[in-house]
Amino acid sequence: MQRSRRWWPVAGAVVGLLGLALSYLAASLLRVRASPPVAVADWVTALTPGSLAEWVIQHFGTNDKKLLIVGMLVVLALIFARLGAAARRRWWVAALGFTVIGAVGLVAVLREHDASVVNALPIAVGAITWAVGFSMAALWLRRWEVVEADTAPGEPEPSHTRRAFFMGIGGMAAATVVGGVLGRIAGGARRKVEESRRLLRLEGVTQPRVPDGARLDVPGISAWMTPADEFYLIDTAYIKPAIEPQQWRLRIHGMVENEITLTYDQLVARKLTEDWMTLNCVSNSVGGDLIGNAWWSGVKLSGLLAEAKPLAGADAVLQTSEDGWTCGTPLAALTDQRNALLAVAMNGEALPIEHGFPVRTIVPGLYGYVSACKWVVDLEVTQFDRITGYWIDKGWSEMGPVKIASRIDVPADGAKVPAGETVLGGVAWHQETGISAVEVSVDGGTWTRATLGTVPSLDTWVQWRLATELAPGKHEIRVRAVDRGGAVQTGVITAEAPNGATGWHMIEVTAK
């Protein structure tokens, strides 16, 4: 068997990955937010059924996007290798395969939010790389095959053609790595925005102070204030939008008398409202950790919308992020007495990029998929029967009011504890309504009321604590909450989709 034959797949894989690396570099130099691979990943995410998206979130959490990108690159490398092998006998198969892959990338980048002709240029760079690179690799391999065919059995094979191939393909492999690194360096927009964020001084933003009595003395319980770097992150952006404050604009339009366009400076010059608010994701499982409590600073949406003067019949606001993500929010939730904010700061500092810098929306009492728009740039006052938010297309409910819930933090599930008195603790929440009581049951017995921490408003979670006696052996411990309206948390178990999980959080411990 000719040794050169084995290297056709390698040539296909190296040239294919080189094209991807140079298209990524071109996207970075042109300041295109979504390079072709990222645009394809965005498209795959958009086409993913809601049930599968929920499964991925539950099993992989914030690593879901990295997993998809790595998986795509592995699959593409295998496809490129297969095209390289096929090209040895049928060159048109490789040509057709690379063309199809390029076409998929082109469609993906052009469907991105606010796409223009510039978005297509990285695809052209990748296509040219594939055409030129694979032609050169094929030429080197053909010459190697001719030399092999002309070499009699037992005679040493001349090495110059083989050396030419390995030097050429090695150079392409090195260029792939260099292209990826330079693309990373060239994509310095985030670093510039991070510097702008660090230098921001926001008048009216104060440092958080945990209210007296809110934090209970239970070692291991969730911190009452969630640090920004520990706050849960669920969004669809593979590349987080990096927006300079001076470039940010918010347009409020649609069914309004007065269309409004705001700059960042105009927004932060308004009166800022600050409050403790708990946010939780609709994908949070019973007892899950997709929840956090923070000190938010921002401008009330009710005032802005009052200036815009919504027209009669309007009942929704379609929020749009800089990356094109959308959600439909009830107009009433943005204009009533709750502190629905255009938030500019979190825990006393300008928003981290991951959490929506420079501006995001916070709406107490609603799950994030219908309210919490990071990197928000557009608010269209409209009607629900005219719009469909991102997650609604995937089967989630149009309305997403937060459900009453509670969690056991201490002890951990499966823990071994000393027999006798054991201290239990955790958190409970029902934003916009508040929690009046938390009750704990051991081994299906009587529900016992726990001690609650204080809260500054209805929109935060509350810590709870209960000391109970545990006899030696295994025990099942359940928790439920009662809200201030008298509603008792249901023990009926339902899934996260389509509008939030229900059920009592239960743990098993062994007392010794």
Side-chain angles (χ1 to χ4, degrees), residues 204-207 272-277 295-298 339 341 345 348:
V205 172
T206 64
Q207 293 302 305
L272 294 186
T273 295
E274 298 187 298
D275 202 0
W276 290 102
M277 286 183 271
W295 175 246
W296 302 96
S297 310
N339 277 336
L341 301 179

Side-chain angles (χ1 to χ4, degrees), residues 442-443 469-477 506-511:
V442 179
D443 298 326
E469 293 287 328
L470 294 180
K474 290 188 176 182
H475 300 279
E476 290 184 347
I477 302 173
M506 186 269 288
I507 64 169
E508 292 185 349
V509 300
T510 302

Side-chain angles (χ1 to χ4, degrees), residues 152-156:
E155 290 184 7

